[in-house]
Amino acid sequence: MTGGVNGVALGVFIFFFVAVTVLGFLAARWRRADNALSLDEWGLGGRSFGTWITWFLLGGDLYTAYTFVAVPAAIYAAGAAGFFAVPYTIITYPLVFLFLPRLWSISHKHGYVTSSDFIRGRFGSKGLSLAMAVTGILATMPYIALQLVGIQAVLDVMGVGGGENSSWFMKDLPLLIAFGVLAAYTYSSGLRAPAMIAFVKDALIYIVIAVAIIYIPYKLGGFDSIFDKAGKAYATVNPATGKPRGSLVSGPQAQWAYATLALGSAMALFLYPHSVTAVLSGKSRNVIRRNTTILPLYSLMLGLLAMLGFMALAAGVGVGVKGYNPQTAIPQLFEDMFPDWFAGVAFAAIGIGALVPAAIMSIAAANLFTRNIYKDFIKPDATPAQETKVSKLVSLLVKVGALIFVLTMDKTVAINFQLLGGIWILQTVPAIVGGLFTRWFHRWALLAGWAAGMFYGTWKAYEQHTPAQNHFAGNADLIPYIGEKGYIGLTAFVINIVVAVVLTFVLKALKAPEGVDETSPSDYTADSGEPGVKKELPLDPEPAVLN
């Protein structure tokens, strides 16, 4: 923060914030179903979204406020290593093109609301389904918290809350407001709220990135000057580590870590509960297939967004400030470079970029609890109306938990737990993705493999330390038998697979009971309108647009 409240930027920010809040409540009337008291309606938007709505929803879901802040912040702090997010979002789409349409088909055929519903139906195992659900909920909680951190970083730069001399109430007020808004319109409108708001969020982000990538280099003397100044900044030795701050190009010693982190992240991205929720809201199999081909447009935006990290260095953001928080570097760059009114637009893009994914994440976590804990283990005879009521209440509790997480813990803890969440989600790949293509794995072997991967990943992540942090200080460690540093999550995944394969052979030899598979091969390619598939609401022809 440069000093005082930026009244113009704050006014523009409040305008957009209020506008999307109103949209969130109006979304309850958008394509309203005859019976709204079901998870299909509240938690999946009636499974009725067409290509463009799903595209904006998935984009708003995956490219969050934290992405907007953290990707360039990582490059600002360490250099080229932060660019791993760009290749991993490119790698992920060919991968998910193979399995997401199958997940959509089987879920619509059998009315599955979560990926854990599919696991229970495919392997006849509530225990394995519970393990997947708990993993998803634990991985989602810190992710929601980081969206609130994104809003706080923006308001801090504008001079509202977060200042070192502010009272505790003023420091926490932005998060309390964000929580109240999220809680109210998510409870009222369900998934329709973030689906409608995503249009505004993505439009603002594309406008801000387009302007920033032209206007800021113009003010800083061009990209030659930017790269030159960034290279000099990276060459500066960090007193805490005795090593250069970073580099414009990753060195040979970092290549294994870079490649394995990109691959592991790509494998896990669409298995987060919020990703699955957005996918299952699509109205047809082809909607999902089309989205895997056009979503890479967001990767182009992400590459341009990452460049802002170099620009912040070149602009001298944070220079001479002891203990400067890199998470505020990009909001500060916007305030320093843009006119106040357009800085407000940029801040609004980040703030709204927090509301959309946080809403979807809380809905997804609530659906997991309701379907795979409450209904499976507490009240098996729960009616659709009871399920919806429980899911609404749990979505509130999830946001309260995320709020408490942010208010009571250091922000680096939230970031580290989010990184740990990526390691955990990767351990669901053998059961979910493997189950979409084969029934060969034994349910107990998958559970044992999941447990082995979770234990190894958590243990190794706990051991990572730096001079400033004792535990959970990174996500890379030496890969056994290879001797190179690589992504802990991918190593844990390999252990997971090995355990699952070996135990499957053993358990099959012992003729251990395998559980009942309620699916059939044709279910995995079924589309809307086929016998047995949920009948869709009458909709306008695609592409779907807001009236």
Side-chain angles (χ1 to χ4, degrees), residues 14-38:
I14 291 174
F15 168 78
F16 281 106
F17 199 87
V18 171
V20 298
T21 300
V22 172
L23 276 179
F25 285 108
L26 291 177
R29 302 171 180 267
W30 177 40
R31 293 180 171 179
R32 177 182 289 174
D34 292 335
N35 177 19
L37 294 179
S38 73

Side-chain angles (χ1 to χ4, degrees), residues 24 101 115 189 232 270 283 312 318 484:
S115 54
S189 304
K232 291 176 180 177
F270 271 86
K283 73 174 184 178
E484 297 280 356

Side-chain angles (χ1 to χ4, degrees), residues 126-143:
K126 288 184 179 181
L128 183 59
S129 170
L130 176 65
M132 300 298 109
V134 170
T135 303
I137 293 171
L138 289 177
T140 300
M141 289 290 289
Y143 223 150

Side-chain angles (χ1 to χ4, degrees), residues 456 460 463-464 475-479 484-488 491:
Y456 178 87
K460 285 298 181 181
E463 286 188 334
Q464 304 310 304
N475 53 18
D477 195 33
L478 287 178
I479 305 172
E484 297 280 356
K485 266 203 164 186
Y487 180 40
I488 292 169
T491 306

Side-chain angles (χ1 to χ4, degrees), residues 9-229:
L10 180 61
V12 175
F13 177 89
I14 291 174
F15 168 78
F16 281 106
F17 199 87
V18 171
V20 298
T21 300
V22 172
L23 276 179
F25 285 108
L26 291 177
R29 302 171 180 267
W30 177 40
R31 293 180 171 179
R32 177 182 289 174
D34 292 335
N35 177 19
L37 294 179
S38 73
L39 283 187
D40 268 13
E41 294 300 330
W42 183 82
L44 293 179
R47 303 184 192 252
S48 63
F49 297 151
T51 299
W52 291 112
I53 294 175
T54 306
W55 186 68
F56 280 108
L57 183 63
L58 278 168
D61 187 9
L62 301 174
Y63 298 86
T64 67
Y66 181 62
T67 304
F68 207 123
V69 169
V71 171
I75 291 166
Y76 168 87
F83 267 103
F84 86 93
V86 179
Y88 107 63
T89 58
I90 295 171
I91 295 169
T92 195
Y93 295 111
L95 296 177
V96 300
F97 185 84
L98 297 175
F99 73 83
L100 280 186
R102 295 178 69 87
L103 180 60
W104 181 93
S105 291
I106 194 66
S107 297
H108 275 237
K109 183 80 173 182
H110 291 272
Y112 298 149
V113 174
T114 69
S115 54
S116 291
D117 282 352
F118 162 67
I119 293 296
R120 184 190 61 239
R122 177 63 152 161
F123 295 99
S125 173
K126 288 184 179 181
L128 183 59
S129 170
L130 176 65
M132 300 298 109
V134 170
T135 303
I137 293 171
L138 289 177
T140 300
M141 289 290 289
Y143 223 150
I144 300 173
L146 287 178
Q147 307 315 310
L148 302 183
V149 168
I151 294 177
Q152 190 180 49
V154 166
L155 291 173
D156 184 9
V157 169
M158 285 191 293
V160 180
E164 292 299 323
N165 297 321
S166 301
S167 67
W168 69 267
F169 179 75
M170 287 304 297
K171 282 177 179 286
D172 298 340
L173 184 60
L175 297 184
L176 295 172
I177 293 172
F179 164 75
V181 170
L182 271 176
Y185 74 61
T186 305
Y187 187 93
S188 170
S189 304
L191 194 65
R192 286 177 170 84
M196 182 174 281
I197 294 172
F199 282 84
V200 179
K201 172 255 187 187
D202 287 359
L204 287 177
I205 285 181
Y206 273 106
I207 290 170
V208 170
I209 296 300
V211 172
I213 207 68
I214 297 171
Y215 181 73
I216 296 178
Y218 170 77
K219 291 198 69 175
L220 294 176
F223 280 101
D224 282 351
S225 175
I226 289 171
F227 289 131
D228 180 62
K229 291 176 181 177

Side-chain angles (χ1 to χ4, degrees), residues 1 43 55 64 119 166 205 210 228 262 269 295-296 307 320 361 415 466:
M1 185 174 64
W55 186 68
T64 67
I119 293 296
S166 301
I205 285 181
D228 180 62
L269 180 62
L295 274 168
M307 298 291 289
M361 289 170 189
I415 294 170
T466 65

Side-chain angles (χ1 to χ4, degrees), residues 220-455:
L220 294 176
F223 280 101
D224 282 351
S225 175
I226 289 171
F227 289 131
D228 180 62
K229 291 176 181 177
K232 291 176 180 177
Y234 290 134
T236 305
V237 174
N238 185 338
T241 63
K243 298 178 180 179
R245 173 177 178 172
S247 63
L248 280 171
V249 180
S250 293
Q253 71 280 2
Q255 289 175 2
W256 272 84
Y258 186 97
T260 53
L261 179 58
L263 178 59
S265 300
M267 293 168 61
L269 180 62
F270 271 86
L271 293 183
Y272 275 97
H274 53 281
S275 303
V276 172
T277 296
V279 167
L280 297 188
S281 71
K283 73 174 184 178
S284 73
R285 179 184 174 91
N286 279 336
V287 163
I288 308 307
R289 291 163 64 88
R290 282 192 289 267
N291 264 276
T292 59
T293 63
I294 60 178
L295 274 168
L297 285 172
Y298 280 98
S299 297
L300 173 62
M301 178 203 72
L302 187 61
L304 298 175
L305 174 64
M307 298 291 289
L308 296 178
F310 294 141
M311 297 177 197
L313 282 174
V317 172
V319 172
V321 180
K322 186 177 180 180
Y324 183 74
N325 178 12
Q327 303 299 318
T328 64
I330 302 313
Q332 188 64 58
L333 175 70
F334 289 158
E335 182 171 66
D336 292 347
M337 293 288 109
F338 289 146
D340 287 347
W341 70 270
F342 195 76
V345 174
F347 296 154
I350 299 175
I352 297 168
L355 296 179
V356 173
I360 304 171
M361 289 170 189
S362 64
I363 290 169
N367 288 346
L368 280 170
F369 175 85
T370 300
R371 290 295 291 249
N372 308 117
I373 298 177
Y374 176 75
K375 185 173 176 64
D376 280 353
F377 295 96
I378 300 174
K379 191 174 177 57
D381 60 345
T383 65
Q386 289 173 327
E387 286 181 16
T388 305
K389 182 178 180 180
V390 169
S391 202
K392 284 185 172 184
L393 292 173
V394 172
S395 75
L396 297 180
L397 293 176
V398 166
K399 285 189 281 289
V400 169
L403 185 66
I404 293 172
F405 193 89
V406 172
L407 296 183
T408 59
M409 299 182 119
D410 187 87
K411 292 177 183 59
T412 57
V413 176
I415 294 170
N416 293 332
F417 272 103
Q418 192 276 325
L419 295 174
L420 186 60
I423 294 172
W424 289 342
I425 284 293
L426 191 53
Q427 307 319 308
T428 67
V429 171
I432 298 174
V433 178
L436 287 169
F437 292 94
T438 179
R439 186 59 167 75
W440 180 79
F441 287 104
H442 195 283
R443 54 182 177 164
W444 297 346
L446 286 170
L447 187 59
W450 166 84
M454 291 285 285
F455 173 78

